[in-house]
């Protein structure tokens, strides 16, 4: 398969540097052809461990960040997952490999044009049955399919949007980069009955969340 060696080198380095370790995650990242999720001219750089432009001023997260988030989310086959910030569809495709046909990934993307691109990318990889890409304001969650086992946000949020916490199942887990416009902390949150357990996973930088609970940029 095209770029297989580059992909293997990247995944090996993510393991070596301690970003990923679970066998199912290594397998999932090995299966997803990241070069199909970036614009044609960026294809040769798709397996470099850095974010890449995907158009409309947005980026596909660096592979190590996708790896960290997928590890921390504690995914399993059969889970129903909500992604806020679908972009290219790459992150959703990796998650889809883990939740499988008995699970589902609902991915909300704010920019119409990107939703279309993400949808096409998902289809190209044969994951259309597991991933549904929807155009809309994901800061409001996606109440029609709630509650979710897992929710993750791939853009920077000024706060922890209440609808996302509400739409999480009991024992559900949420990952969200939260903080300022230019620098955030990756926040992990677990719902335990009426209790919320929170952990911080360190600094990160994401493009801003827009919409109702996002940054007011325009
Ligand atoms: N997960 C993506 C990363 C995309 S970057 C991938 O694998 O490619 C983050 C994305 O969040 C951008 O595409 C941006 O348009 C989107 N976004 C920003 N605010 C949003 C909102 N309120 N709802 C849904 N998507 C949003």
């Amino acid at each position: 398969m095209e770029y297989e060696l580059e992909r293997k080198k990247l995944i090996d380095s993510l393991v070596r540097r301690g970003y990923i370790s679970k066998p199912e995650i290594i397998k999932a990242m090995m299966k997803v052809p990241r070069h199909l999720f970036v614009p044609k001219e960026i294809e040769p750089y798709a397996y470099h461990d850095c974010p890449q432009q995907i158009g409309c001023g947005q980026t596909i997260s660096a592979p190590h960040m996708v790896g960290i988030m997928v590890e921390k989310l504690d995914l399993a086959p059969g889970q129903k997952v909500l992604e806020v910030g679908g972009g290219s569809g790459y992150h959703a495709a990796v998650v889809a490999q883990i939740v499988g046909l008995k699970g589902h990934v609902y991915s909300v993307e704010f920019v119409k044009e990107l939703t279309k691109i993400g949808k096409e990318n998902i289809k190209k990889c044969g994951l259309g049955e597991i991933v549904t890409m929807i155009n809309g304001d994901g800061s409001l969650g996606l109440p029609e399919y709630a509650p979710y086992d897992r929710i993750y946000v791939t853009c920077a949020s000024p706060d922890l949007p209440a609808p996302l916490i509400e739409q999480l199942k009991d024992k559900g887990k949420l990952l969200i980069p939260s903080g300022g416009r230019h620098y955030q902390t990756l926040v992990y949150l677990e719902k335990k009955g009426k209790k919320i357990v929170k952990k911080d996973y360190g600094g990160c930088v994401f493009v801003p969340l827009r919409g109702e609970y996002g940054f007011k940029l325009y």
Side-chain angles (χ1 to χ4, degrees), residues 156-158 179-182 184 208-211 213-218:
S157 172
R181 164 77 182 75
H182 301 289
Q184 308 88 38
L209 175 74
R210 292 150 78 181
Y213 287 82
F215 287 95
K216 303 293 171 244
L217 298 172
Y218 310 101

Side-chain angles (χ1 to χ4, degrees), residues 66-142:
V66 174
I68 291 174
M69 291 182 75
V70 177
E71 283 268 339
K72 305 288 184 217
L73 262 182
D74 186 25
L75 295 162
Q79 285 175 343
K80 186 170 32 157
V81 181
L82 173 67
E83 175 182 58
V84 178
S88 69
Y90 173 74
H91 200 148
V94 174
V95 173
Q97 294 290 353
I98 301 166
V99 300
L101 277 167
K102 291 200 171 125
H104 205 86
V105 185
Y106 294 94
S107 176
V108 187
E109 169 53 49
F110 197 73
V111 180
K112 217 176 200 161
E113 202 181 321
L114 279 178
T115 315
K116 196 168 152 257
I117 293 171
K119 216 178 248 182
E120 280 161 14
N121 292 342
I122 289 290
K123 212 166 138 198
K124 271 192 271 180
C125 298
L127 293 167
E129 259 182 83
I130 311 179
V131 182
T132 306
M133 301 274 300
I134 295 157
N135 179 231
D137 178 7
S139 79
L140 300 167
L142 188 63

Side-chain angles (χ1 to χ4, degrees), residues 1-192:
M1 205 204 275
E2 222 187 342
Y3 290 109
E4 199 166 341
L5 186 62
E6 284 86 344
R7 187 153 59 248
K8 183 152 187 343
K9 276 190 192 159
L10 169 68
I11 309 298
D12 284 349
S13 97
L14 297 183
V15 174
R16 213 174 35 246
R17 290 182 288 148
Y19 292 120
I20 57 173
S21 61
K22 295 178 187 157
E24 67 273 23
I25 292 175
I26 296 170
K27 209 168 129 199
M29 290 190 82
M30 234 359 253
K31 267 197 178 162
V32 180
R34 186 172 161 94
H35 62 281
L36 296 186
F37 290 82
V38 297
K40 199 79 193 149
E41 62 275 21
I42 291 174
E43 233 188 69
Y45 312 105
Y47 296 97
H48 291 202
D49 190 17
C50 57
Q52 304 285 4
Q53 301 294 328
I54 52 171
C56 309
Q58 304 304 321
T59 54
I60 176 174
S61 308
H64 74 267
M65 186 49 74
V66 174
I68 291 174
M69 291 182 75
V70 177
E71 283 268 339
K72 305 288 184 217
L73 262 182
D74 186 25
L75 295 162
Q79 285 175 343
K80 186 170 32 157
V81 181
L82 173 67
E83 175 182 58
V84 178
S88 69
Y90 173 74
H91 200 148
V94 174
V95 173
Q97 294 290 353
I98 301 166
V99 300
L101 277 167
K102 291 200 171 125
H104 205 86
V105 185
Y106 294 94
S107 176
V108 187
E109 169 53 49
F110 197 73
V111 180
K112 217 176 200 161
E113 202 181 321
L114 279 178
T115 315
K116 196 168 152 257
I117 293 171
K119 216 178 248 182
E120 280 161 14
N121 292 342
I122 289 290
K123 212 166 138 198
K124 271 192 271 180
C125 298
L127 293 167
E129 259 182 83
I130 311 179
V131 182
T132 306
M133 301 274 300
I134 295 157
N135 179 231
D137 178 7
S139 79
L140 300 167
L142 188 63
E144 44 277 54
Y145 301 104
Y148 302 94
D149 296 292
R150 301 288 183 268
I151 299 178
Y152 65 97
V153 181
T154 69
C155 33
S157 172
D159 279 305
L160 305 178
L164 299 186
I165 300 173
E166 272 158 32
Q167 291 170 33
L168 206 53
K169 279 186 193 169
D170 188 29
K171 299 193 176 67
K173 294 169 184 176
L174 165 74
L175 262 184
I176 179 167
S178 178
R181 164 77 182 75
H182 301 289
Y183 188 81
Q184 308 88 38
T185 302
L186 186 60
V187 175
Y188 166 95
L189 190 155
E190 194 176 340
K191 210 177 193 176
K192 286 190 171 169

